[in-house]
Amino acid sequence: MSLTLKDLSDSLGIVPRRVAEIAAGWPEFSYMADYIYAGIPTILVEPQAAMVEHLREAFGQYPNVEILQKLITPDGLYRRMVRPSFNDPRGYAQTA
């Protein structure tokens, strides 16, 4: 049996008020699934539209889950991923 993040926080007596997963990807491999099932408010951030749809199918029915299609950039800004911008030297999509 493998140790999950929730197992670790439980063993330390930590009950998070909110958790987040950046680049959440496939729901089957989400590190936050146990927190979601336990009712902990969870933010899942994923830039790819196809992955966001998979996340919404898997976790969209949970009221404690917020799924964001965002790209988190190295400079710490949150940007909506629409399409690559060739006018921006950093290659970021235009923020909506």
Side-chain angles (χ1 to χ4, degrees):
M1 182 173 131
S2 62
L3 187 68
T4 67
L5 287 175
K6 184 164 182 321
D7 293 335
L8 180 60
S9 62
D10 288 349
S11 71
L12 296 171
I14 298 170
V15 180
R17 288 183 275 165
R18 180 176 298 269
V19 295
E21 185 169 9
I22 309 304
W26 290 100
E28 297 86 356
F29 301 110
S30 174
Y31 292 107
M32 300 299 125
D34 290 336
Y35 291 115
I36 291 169
Y37 303 142
I40 302 294
T42 303
I43 300 171
L44 301 174
V45 181
E46 172 59 46
Q48 297 181 42
M51 290 293 109
V52 168
E53 284 307 310
H54 290 296
L55 291 167
R56 287 186 178 136
E57 289 172 14
F59 302 125
Q61 73 272 20
Y62 292 91
N64 58 309
V65 176
E66 184 177 359
I67 300 168
L68 303 175
Q69 184 180 353
K70 299 280 184 183
L71 175 64
I72 297 183
T73 63
D75 57 7
L77 299 175
Y78 297 87
R79 300 178 187 273
R80 184 176 309 216
M81 187 163 180
V82 179
R83 59 187 158 83
S85 172
F86 298 103
N87 296 327
D88 185 329
R90 298 169 296 174
Y92 298 145
Q94 193 171 22
T95 304

